[in-house]
């Protein structure tokens, strides 16, 4: 970049004031005239058929306007054809109110629409469904396990087995389990649908992809895509739950069209368990090594849960072929179909679960070999991608181990379990490696500059709380030589330039590059105008010779030679100038290189020696993720990831009652997530990493890497503190106490 004033520097969130003053509007907050409220009624069985739905009592409630069910709803093309969305896995996606078949407990079976929310909520309790129930299967352990016949887009099946497992001198083996987890963003899924006639639709939705929702609505209602507008300016957390359009989107639009009034549908907290979440896994890891700790074989087999109607897939095991080289690598991935809603992508999908198992097994190997856990990883360091035998675009993981260990004070560790104490608490230190993909995907953006020197940046990406508004403001401000206050970023509107769903940690790199290019193109166009002036001081200048600074287009080496923005625009008779930019990944980079972010996670736990209560008193995460655009917002991302990982290690679990195929703890009182009292010191260390191949900004993204490895580091610390190895998450007192 020509000038770097803001990029790379700590900057406050530009959307902070709007959020803390309540001016930021979320999906259920847009004021709309004549609004009706829709409340969803859900199935109480997990599998079977609806035989009848008695609506009499609900319809008799004054203020109830209409109730929709599979027998009482408008026909739509959607119900006739196959359809999908941008991130749908192979299968037949669930369609709300399609027919009488129940696929999962909590499935929407009716929508009660009333003049007031309270009335709809009350009437919904009076809807009585009767069912012909079949026995649900929701136990991943007991269902058949199969290899998905069709790979999910973007999810590579495990590479073929390499080598033959011999008899390694050192062997460790374990079965690891991770439970169902749910994202539980603060903001509930909500959609407010407003029709203009019956062929133009606007929906205020909670989503990670406004254009994904736009395309789905256009297909469902047979509309031209540009007649559908989905708006999601602010998102109160999503963590992957908002990648796929949720049924609140369809139900609000369907009801609003039928009733010719705007309709708002907001899920209840309980219903947030009916939209996916992290699949449960059962994993087997076997490692074989020489006495020096050098890996000879890595075997990692995983089974993940999916629904009966879609083959949701994630990359759970491939990391095990990527992180460490071994002569023998055998990776396997299967699914088990359950009578539950299809899982979705939850922050660092696959890696969060798979790397937990691998990195715990590595810790067991370190104990077995009598080698320090960091040293073991250094001895097995992959300088090239061992699976594909390619170089990495950049990889400063070695530095991450070193800087993380220094910050943590790892050198003071006594390797013996139960060797450290603090009063009544056993102290444990553990570590793990984290890895995630560094994704860079096609993305567009537009930059507009007006004669008064104000810029507007626009693209359809959503800021899901990650800091997208802020980093795009920084990038544009630097590229256009403006203070950040003079740059306005518009996001989360499907009419803006094309963006993919915001996910996979790719938005900083992809939207950021698109904005950078759009600004550069804009300067090029401005130069064309400036050169048209008589005796233009920039008459001979090329695009690379000029920069824009303080409203002047000037020669890079000779700022006295300039044309003002106003003069340049006037030369062309313009009041503004704009340009589009596209991030276009270079396919040859993907062929030549492997691109990942990496981390080294260090954890200190204190475990009550009698009660088994675990506290994570310190976490240090050293992250190598290329260029950090804004250490303040990036640090927030990583802190959030660390807390996510801590929740995974100690708290989070959606518990099933297999008799009813139903999650029991469908509220934030019983689905435990870390509270403030669970969070102690967390240090984020940014490891310098020069990234020259992936994208022009050298950015890799930090939205997900903070989760990966954190649960393993904590589990390894718990083992070090107590001598007890818990291989099933979350690590709760009942699992720990018997061994204490
Ligand atoms: Mo992320 S799980 O791609 O929102």
């Amino acid at each position: 970049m020509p000038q770097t004033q803001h990029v790379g520097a700590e900057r406050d969130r530009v959307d902070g004031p709007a959020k803390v003053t309540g001016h930021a509007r979320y999906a259920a907050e847009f004021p709309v005239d004549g609004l009706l409220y829709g409340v969803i009624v859900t199935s109480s069985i997990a599998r079977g058929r609806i035989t009848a739905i008695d609506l009499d009592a609900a319809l008799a409630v004054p203020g109830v306007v209409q109730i929709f069910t599979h027998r009482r709803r408008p026909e739509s093309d959607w119900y006739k054809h196959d359809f999908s969305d941008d991130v749908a896995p192979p299968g037949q996606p669930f369609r709300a109110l399609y027919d009488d078949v129940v696929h999962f407990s909590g499935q929407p079976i009716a929508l009660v629409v009333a003049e007031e929310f309270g009335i709809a909520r009350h009437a919904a309790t009076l809807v009585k469904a009767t069912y012909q129930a079949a026995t649900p299967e929701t136990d991943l352990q007991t269902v058949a396990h199969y290899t998905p016949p069709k790979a999910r887009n973007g999810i590579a099946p495990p590479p073929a087995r390499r080598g033959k497992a011999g008899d390694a001198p050192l062997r460790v083996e374990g079965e690891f389990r991770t439970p169902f987890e749910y994202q539980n963003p603060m903001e509930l899924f909500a959609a407010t649908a407003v029709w203009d006639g019956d062929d133009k639709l606007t929906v205020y939705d909670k989503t990670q992809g406004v254009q994904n929702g736009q395309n789905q609505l256009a297909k469902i209602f047979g509309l031209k895509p540009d007649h559908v507008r989905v708006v999601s300016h602010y998102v109160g957390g999503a963590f992957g739950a908002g990648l796929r359009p949720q049924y609140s989107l369809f139900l609000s639009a369907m009801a609003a069209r039928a009733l010719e009034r705007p309709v708002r549908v907001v899920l209840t907290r309980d219903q947030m368990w009916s939209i996916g979440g992290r699949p449960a896994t059962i994993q087997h890891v076997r490692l074989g090594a020489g006495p020096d700790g050098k890996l000879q074989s890595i075997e990692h087999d995983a089974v993940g849960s999916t629904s009966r109607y879609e083959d949701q897939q994630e990359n759970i095991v491939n990391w095990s072929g990527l992180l460490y080289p071994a002569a023998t690598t055998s990776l396997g991935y299967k699914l088990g179909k359950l009578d539950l809603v299809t899982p979705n992508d939850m922050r660092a999908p696959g890696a969060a679960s798979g790397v937990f198992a691998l990195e715990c097994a590595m810790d067991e190997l370190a104990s077995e070999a009598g080698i320090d856990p960091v040293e073991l990883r250094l001895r097995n360091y992959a300088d090239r991608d061992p699976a594909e035998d390619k170089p990495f675009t950049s990889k400063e993981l070695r530095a991450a181990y070193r800087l993380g260990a220094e910050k943590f004070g790892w050198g003071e560790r006594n390797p013996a379990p139960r060797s450290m104490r603090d009063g009544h608490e056993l102290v444990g230190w553990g570590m793990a490696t984290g890895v995630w993909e560094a994704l860079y995907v096609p993305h567009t953006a537009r930059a507009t500059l007006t004669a008064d020197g104000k810029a507007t940046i626009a693209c359809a990406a959503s800021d899901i709380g990650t800091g997208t508004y802020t980093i795009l403001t920084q990038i544009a401000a630097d590229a256009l030589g403006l203070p950040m206050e003079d740059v306005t970023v518009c996001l989360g509107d499907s009419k803006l330039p094309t963006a993919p769903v915001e996910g996979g940690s790719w938005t900083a790199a992809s939207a950021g590059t698109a904005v950078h290019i759009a600004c550069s193109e804009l300067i090029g166009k401005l130069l064309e105008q400036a050169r048209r002036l008589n005796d233009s001081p920039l008459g001979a200048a090329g695009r690379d010779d000029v920069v824009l600074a303080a409203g002047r287009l000037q020669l890079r080496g000779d700022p006295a030679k300039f044309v003002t923005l106003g003069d340049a625009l006037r030369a062309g008779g313009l009041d503004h100038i704009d340009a589009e930019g596209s991030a276009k990944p270079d396919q040859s980079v993907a062929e030549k290189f492997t691109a990942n972010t990496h981390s080294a996670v260090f954890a200190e736990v204190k475990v009550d020696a009698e009660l088994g209560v675990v506290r994570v008193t310190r976490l240090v995460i050293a992250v190598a993720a290329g260029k950090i655009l804004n250490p303040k917002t990036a640090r927030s991302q990583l802190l959030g990831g660390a807390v996510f990982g801590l929740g995974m290690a100690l708290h989070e679990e959606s518990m099933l009652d297999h008799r009813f195929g139903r999650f029991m703890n469908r509220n934030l009182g019983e689905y435990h997530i870390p509270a403030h009292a669970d969070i102690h010191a967390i240090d984020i260390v940014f490891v310098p990493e020069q990234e020259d191949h992936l994208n022009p900004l050298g950015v890799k993204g930090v939205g997900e890497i903070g989760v990966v490895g954190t649960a393993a580091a904590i589990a390894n610390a718990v083992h070090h503190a107590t001598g007890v190895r818990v291989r099933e998450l979350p690590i709760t007192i009942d699992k720990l106490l018997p061994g204490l």
Side-chain angles (χ1 to χ4, degrees), residues 166-346:
D167 280 328
L170 293 178
R171 294 186 65 83
V172 295
E173 173 163 5
E175 182 184 281
F176 297 86
R177 287 172 185 246
T178 61
F180 297 94
E181 293 173 7
Y182 275 80
Q183 286 93 344
N184 277 303
M186 289 272 274
E187 186 196 11
L188 301 163
F189 277 92
T192 306
V194 186
W195 286 85
D196 174 4
D198 69 353
D199 71 340
K200 285 211 182 84
L201 170 63
T202 300
V203 187
Y204 304 96
D205 189 31
K206 175 206 174 83
T207 178
Q208 290 173 250
V210 285
Q211 289 170 334
N212 195 18
Q214 173 197 24
N215 290 332
Q216 186 172 89
L217 289 171
K219 269 188 261 180
I220 290 172
F221 296 104
L223 304 173
K224 292 188 195 143
D226 64 357
H227 281 193
V228 180
R229 184 175 170 207
V230 177
V231 176
S232 187
H233 293 146
Y234 297 100
V235 180
F239 314 111
L243 291 169
R244 300 187 70 177
Q246 297 301 347
Y247 46 75
S248 37
L249 180 69
F250 161 69
L251 289 173
S252 68
M254 180 273 289
R257 189 188 223 191
L259 300 173
E260 299 182 352
R261 284 176 65 180
V263 173
R264 173 172 298 158
V265 175
V266 184
L267 268 59
T268 61
R269 180 57 65 182
D270 175 288
Q271 289 167 354
M272 296 291 280
W273 269 263
S274 305
I275 54 164
R278 199 188 294 287
T281 72
I282 302 171
Q283 306 178 50
H284 286 91
V285 181
R286 290 171 217 85
L287 302 177
D292 57 355
K294 280 224 170 196
L295 286 161
Q296 296 176 1
S297 64
I298 300 171
E299 296 167 87
H300 189 170
D301 291 283
V303 182
S305 66
T306 190
S307 66
R308 235 175 243 288
Y309 53 92
E310 285 176 308
D311 284 339
Q312 169 71 1
Q313 293 158 61
E314 4 175 81
N315 169 11
I316 295 177
V317 297
N318 299 10
W319 315 102
S320 296
L322 175 74
L323 270 179
Y324 309 112
T328 298
T329 310
S330 171
L331 308 174
Y333 177 50
K334 291 186 172 179
L335 294 176
K337 282 192 188 297
L338 304 179
D339 292 302
L340 296 171
V341 68
T342 306
N344 57 30
D345 291 311
M346 180 161 158

